[in-house]
Amino acid sequence: MTRRIKESELLDEDRVILDIRISRQDPSVSDKNHGTERWESRNGGIWLRRTAKRHASDSAKAITAVDVLFGSDAVEARPGWEILNRPVILSNPGEAPAPHMTVRRGVPAPVERPTLHVRKDGRFKILQVADLHVSTGVGHCRDAEPSGEGGCEADTRTLEFVGTVLDREKPDLVVLSGDQVNGETAPDAQSAVFKFAEPFIKREIPFATIFGNHDDEGSLGRQDLMQLIQSLPFSLSLPGEASVEGVGNYYVEVLARGNSKHSALTLYLLDTHGYSPDEQQFKGYDWLKKSQIDWFKATSQRLKATSSHMGYKHLHMDMAFIHIPLPEYRTEDVIPSSGTSAETPTAPGFNSGFKQALVDEGVLAVSCGHDHVNDYCALSKSEGKDTKPELWMCYAGGAGFGGYGGYGHVIEGGYQRRVRVFEFDMNEARITTWKVLEHGDTKKRIDEMVIVEGGKVVAAT
């Protein structure tokens, strides 16, 4: 374990690193402004410029941390860090993604958790991005439409799509609903995390993250991934209570407009885990656990009794996000109201009752990812003689080219990657949703519909 050394603790043989370069020749040949300190050579084409001047240790220019990211498309998402413009020079690089050194100068920059507010016009827009499947390196496209000429770099195309949507839709929040990292092709998950986070950080857009079944199949487990994401600017992501099963069970409050301290909208995000712990009895995927459902119900009831919620003079609204769909997504009485249903929902075989908990607590809609070529919203109605709408269950549709986009299904015109938008009009207590495509009619609001009106779940209009 390392610790920060004070200037007074430096010994005569200690030297402070002022600069690092990657070069095949001494940087002093082309850099005449390096001062009196000489460049020192290291393996991999690494050159260091160090000084014995003690006062330099507290300089904002002194290098205080070094890291390595991988891939020709590697980016640095941490404040105060800078990625060097040339990869480390390896004698036998092979096919592994190129290593890039990245350095931090001075003291670590503080990162504050954003506070969300409804806009002045009374609206709040959420962009749900599902199943990015980002790799270490550019990745390989799967089922790309159109396939393109000269090859297809999955992450390049995916992140260009995300950036275009961000600039056009200008969301107030992005919810990343799982499988951001394609673990199988992410031997350095940190590099993949920085790539998917950088578009939001660069645009100063807050984002909240939950995990899917692939995120932790690379070099980092769920706890380490969440710790890394939580440390980034504009991240609202949290690991949740240690006593609750899973990593990433938390809520996000959206406060009323202006400087209000009152909650207008609460978003619940929960970890749907990965694969079934009991394949013999319940094949497929894991389910939300009792501790999570108990946490959700207790948290919902506690928040409703707080002054932040009770002081809000309009209709408060709640919504939830998960990765793996609930078992109710595939019941016969749930009929998609819009969008594509191209694969059978791969929901858990065991029903732990979370859907009913959502209804009991007044949540208006839940949206998931996981099944890439499903992008519909389905209305669930109450049972009994007098049925009425009680919950919208939506899919976002797959956004990333590193994940499948067809699964062997024949879809007319091919499957276009997409994202889903939820716009909350707090003036009318209304929720409108639509999708945005990566290719084709990219400016159209696909399957736009109102799913909540006057704070109540309604049939699509």
Side-chain angles (χ1 to χ4, degrees):
M1 183 175 180
T2 60
R3 69 180 182 89
R4 183 174 172 80
I5 298 176
K6 297 179 182 179
E7 182 179 349
S8 58
E9 297 178 288
L10 290 174
L11 304 177
D12 291 339
E13 62 267 26
D14 289 328
R15 290 173 175 265
V16 176
I17 299 176
L18 295 179
D19 203 358
I20 297 179
R21 301 278 181 89
I22 307 296
S23 177
R24 294 188 180 277
Q25 63 179 4
D26 188 334
S28 62
V29 174
S30 56
D31 182 6
K32 303 301 182 183
N33 299 317
H34 63 277
T36 58
E37 297 85 2
R38 293 182 177 180
W39 287 96
E40 304 172 21
S41 177
R42 297 291 188 271
N43 292 335
I46 300 171
W47 294 82
L48 309 180
R49 186 162 64 89
R50 303 192 299 166
T51 180
K53 297 176 181 177
R54 293 191 174 187
H55 69 274
S57 64
D58 288 330
S59 169
K61 296 181 180 180
I63 292 176
T64 53
V66 177
D67 204 347
V68 179
L69 299 174
F70 294 85
S72 60
D73 59 341
V75 295
E76 182 56 81
R78 295 169 291 189
W81 286 78
E82 173 190 358
I83 191 167
L84 304 187
N85 59 2
R86 291 191 62 179
V88 175
I89 301 170
L90 302 179
S91 57
N92 185 22
E95 297 181 359
H100 288 260
M101 289 190 68
T102 178
V103 300
R104 186 189 70 207
R105 299 179 186 276
V107 299
V111 175
E112 296 182 2
R113 196 168 189 257
T115 299
L116 302 181
H117 282 271
V118 175
R119 298 197 308 256
K120 292 180 180 180
D121 62 0
R123 297 173 184 266
F124 190 86
K125 184 185 287 188
I126 296 174
L127 176 67
Q128 182 189 357
V129 180
D131 299 278
L132 285 171
H133 285 268
V134 174
S135 300
T136 304
V138 296
H140 300 285
C141 289
R142 296 180 60 186
D143 309 315
E145 291 290 345
S147 58
E149 297 180 0
C152 175
E153 295 179 347
D155 294 354
T156 303
R157 189 165 169 183
T158 296
L159 297 173
E160 284 179 356
F161 168 45
V162 171
T164 298
V165 175
L166 293 174
D167 294 337
R168 182 175 299 141
E169 293 289 343
K170 293 180 169 49
D172 303 292
L173 171 68
V174 174
V175 172
L176 296 152
S177 58
D179 282 357
Q180 290 76 240
V181 177
N182 194 56
E184 184 181 355
T185 59
D188 184 64
Q190 178 177 248
S191 297
V193 168
F194 290 171
K195 285 200 300 183
F196 78 68
E198 192 264 351
F200 317 123
I201 296 170
K202 180 172 66 175
R203 294 168 175 82
E204 301 185 354
I205 299 173
F207 63 99
T209 308
I210 51 178
F211 297 129
N213 51 297
H214 292 295
D215 289 286
D216 58 353
E217 294 177 339
S219 62
L220 295 176
R222 270 167 148 71
Q223 286 284 2
D224 291 334
L225 280 169
M226 185 58 78
Q227 185 177 10
L228 179 64
I229 296 168
Q230 188 181 354
S231 71
L232 297 177
F234 300 99
S235 174
L236 291 163
S237 308
L238 292 172
E241 297 178 14
S243 60
V244 180
E245 291 166 270
V247 179
N249 302 297
Y250 62 106
Y251 65 91
V252 173
E253 294 276 50
V254 180
L255 305 181
R257 70 187 83 183
N259 296 319
S260 175
K261 301 297 183 182
H262 296 138
S263 172
L265 169 65
T266 303
L267 307 171
Y268 294 95
L269 300 97
L270 292 97
D271 184 4
T272 51
H273 315 288
Y275 304 97
S276 173
D278 186 357
E279 277 287 343
Q280 284 191 328
Q281 188 173 2
F282 303 107
K283 293 185 181 300
Y285 294 94
D286 207 345
W287 49 87
L288 285 151
K289 303 302 193 315
K290 183 178 184 300
S291 65
Q292 294 176 278
I293 298 172
D294 289 345
W295 167 83
F296 161 71
K297 292 166 69 174
T299 301
S300 173
Q301 293 164 18
R302 176 179 60 81
L303 290 176
K304 289 172 185 174
T306 62
S307 59
S308 174
H309 280 236
M310 296 180 68
Y312 185 63
K313 302 305 180 184
H314 303 281
L315 292 173
H316 189 281
M317 294 194 283
D318 295 339
M319 186 176 175
F321 291 93
I322 54 178
H323 178 69
I324 297 173
L326 301 174
E328 286 81 2
Y329 272 70
R330 64 182 176 204
T331 56
E332 294 179 358
D333 59 336
V334 173
I335 302 174
S337 295
S338 69
T340 302
S341 176
E343 57 180 310
T344 302
T346 53
F350 177 74
N351 192 335
S352 58
F354 186 55
K355 183 257 184 179
Q356 189 57 49
L358 291 171
V359 173
D360 291 344
E361 293 304 320
V363 171
L364 303 168
V366 59
S367 195
C368 71
H370 189 57
D371 299 326
H372 300 185
V373 295
N374 287 345
D375 71 348
Y376 60 83
C377 284
L379 180 61
S380 175
K381 296 183 178 181
S382 60
E383 298 179 356
K385 185 176 180 181
D386 299 321
T387 62
K388 61 179 181 179
E390 62 180 8
L391 180 72
W392 276 102
M393 300 186 297
C394 294
Y395 276 105
F401 285 87
Y404 72 86
Y407 222 177
H409 296 283
V410 178
I411 302 174
E412 185 177 354
Y415 185 80
Q416 313 300 331
R417 267 49 175 202
R418 60 202 64 201
V419 292
R420 180 173 286 280
V421 178
F422 292 95
E423 185 173 63
F424 297 78
D425 184 344
M426 306 310 296
N427 304 305
E428 306 294 337
R430 176 187 300 134
I431 303 177
T432 306
T433 186
W434 63 89
K435 292 159 295 188
V436 180
L437 302 181
E438 188 267 345
H439 180 75
D441 198 348
T442 59
K443 296 182 180 180
K444 181 180 179 180
R445 293 183 171 187
I446 306 297
D447 297 327
E448 182 177 9
M449 60 182 185
V450 174
I451 59 175
V452 172
E453 188 70 74
K456 296 181 178 180
V457 177
V458 296
T461 58

